[in-house]
Amino acid sequence: MASREITGKELYDRLSKYILTEEQLRSNGYPRPSTDGSSKAMIYKKDNIDIPLKENASACRRCGKIYCVAVDGSPAIQEKCRYHFGNAHKQGGSVARYACCGEKVGRQGCQVADHHVHARNKANMNGYVKTLPGFDHHIYSIDCEMIYTKAGLELAQVTVIDEDCKTVYESLVKPDADIIDYNTRFSGITAADMKDVTTTLHDVQAVMLSMISDKTILVGHSLESDLVALKLIHSTVVDTSLVFPHPRGLPYKRALRNLVEEKLQKRIQTHTGGHDSKEDAVACMQLILYKVKG
């Protein structure tokens, strides 16, 4: 006998037990409302990369090297960036090696880019919007793709899917600053994709506020990164990276593709041209449906 479908309010109620607490939101780097009553957002967990060095210096998001940044945010000196795109892992008693190439930690990067990139705009808490009071039983899964600009790491694509895994909103987004690197290996976005895009972050925020109330459940994998990119403050969040915790506990988090392969017996993120935001959003929704029906 086929298992009964769980939808609507029943699904909402079952998911409610996984909604992050305020403490979890803060400790996992989600944007939170300012405590001084201003319109700025606050992020309580800070990455080292966000700590200011000198006014004209930044840490490369890819290789970690400190480099000089011009006034407009572009690299002051043209220099190749050598980096590893895979995380370093240690298995058993062996030395840690990069997942991308298998080299030992500390070895020169296996990839070469034309220049360094930074994410300095992550520290900019202006321009955030907060979801408005309301009540509904909507559940959406969100995934965003980001690219590097002179301002830092900016939103370039957003996909929102519903509990039936159907797309309810999707858009490419024109960054505010000039693009430095399309981050194609991860974003899947190319120069051709962005050629005629006119939708701005403000346009996306307006759509999000029209379809999401403060009680709408948003699902995602390490969704704090997506909400920072959207500059959206929202508290009703189910994070698959925390619902399915890493065996070693935080700060370690399991990769989405590994979770999907283990729990759903599916493979995702196999495209050589980068991630697919719809594929990732669907994967998160399917994982959470698997959890509540299990």
Side-chain angles (χ1 to χ4, degrees):
M1 182 177 177
S3 60
R4 181 175 62 86
E5 287 296 314
I6 302 170
T7 60
K9 186 177 183 301
E10 183 181 3
L11 178 59
Y12 187 99
D13 291 341
R14 290 202 183 191
L15 274 183
S16 294
K17 65 183 290 187
Y18 300 109
I19 292 173
L20 301 191
T21 64
E22 179 63 27
E23 181 181 355
Q24 288 176 311
L25 290 166
R26 293 186 180 194
S27 63
N28 284 279
Y30 279 83
R32 309 306 303 137
S34 175
T35 56
D36 63 5
S38 70
S39 59
K40 288 186 177 182
M42 296 181 67
I43 294 180
Y44 291 85
K45 178 187 175 185
K46 295 289 186 179
D47 296 330
N48 288 337
I49 200 165
D50 293 329
I51 298 175
L53 303 162
K54 294 180 180 179
E55 189 175 351
N56 65 335
S58 191
C60 179
R61 189 74 173 178
R62 289 187 288 224
C63 72
K65 181 177 179 178
I66 306 302
Y67 71 104
C68 291
V69 179
V71 175
D72 68 353
S74 60
I77 300 173
Q78 289 302 311
E79 178 183 58
K80 298 289 186 182
C81 173
R82 298 182 181 275
Y83 67 100
H84 294 279
F85 65 85
N87 293 326
H89 298 284
K90 180 184 289 188
Q91 296 184 350
S94 63
V95 297
R97 294 180 179 273
Y98 294 106
C100 48
C101 61
E103 284 285 0
K104 296 179 181 179
V105 169
R107 294 287 179 87
Q108 189 177 61
C110 60
Q111 303 294 309
V112 181
D114 289 337
H115 39 68
H116 300 296
V117 291
H118 64 82
R120 295 171 86 181
N121 66 324
K122 285 183 66 181
N124 180 6
M125 295 292 99
N126 294 305
Y128 276 76
V129 296
K130 188 172 184 277
T131 47
L132 303 173
F135 191 81
D136 59 59
H137 298 120
H138 288 140
I139 303 162
Y140 295 123
S141 179
I142 292 181
D143 188 76
C144 295
E145 303 297 343
M146 283 73 84
I147 59 181
Y148 291 105
T149 72
K150 290 181 178 180
L153 198 59
E154 291 194 62
L155 180 69
Q157 185 175 33
V158 56
T159 302
V160 184
I161 66 131
D162 62 16
E163 63 185 76
D164 297 319
C165 295
K166 295 180 180 178
T167 303
V168 294
Y169 178 64
E170 186 169 44
S171 180
L172 289 166
V173 186
K174 181 180 180 180
D176 290 333
D178 294 337
I179 297 169
I180 292 177
D181 191 303
Y182 289 90
N183 198 27
T184 305
R185 177 180 291 279
F186 296 103
S187 70
I189 294 172
T190 65
D193 294 328
M194 301 297 291
K195 185 179 179 181
D196 298 315
V197 176
T198 58
T199 301
T200 66
L201 172 61
H202 296 298
D203 296 330
V204 173
Q205 289 175 327
V207 172
M208 299 297 284
L209 291 180
S210 72
M211 63 187 292
I212 296 171
S213 80
D214 63 345
K215 296 298 189 296
T216 303
I217 293 180
L218 295 186
V219 176
H221 193 77
S222 294
L223 188 59
E224 74 277 4
S225 298
D226 303 280
L227 295 187
V228 168
L230 288 164
K231 286 188 174 285
L232 181 67
I233 299 174
H234 185 73
S235 302
T236 313
V237 170
V238 174
D239 190 328
T240 51
S241 73
L242 302 178
V243 173
F244 300 92
H246 194 285
R248 296 172 65 182
L250 294 171
Y252 300 100
K253 292 184 179 181
R254 299 190 63 186
L256 178 61
R257 65 179 180 276
N258 294 340
L259 278 175
V260 170
E261 188 167 359
E262 177 187 320
K263 305 297 183 184
L264 306 178
Q265 287 75 56
K266 292 173 57 178
R267 296 190 68 196
I268 63 169
Q269 300 178 355
T270 59
H271 312 291
T272 57
H275 293 186
D276 180 329
S277 60
K278 181 179 180 180
E279 180 183 58
D280 289 355
V282 168
C284 288
M285 183 63 77
Q286 290 177 337
L287 276 172
I288 211 66
L289 291 174
Y290 162 89
K291 185 70 174 181
V292 299
K293 294 177 182 179

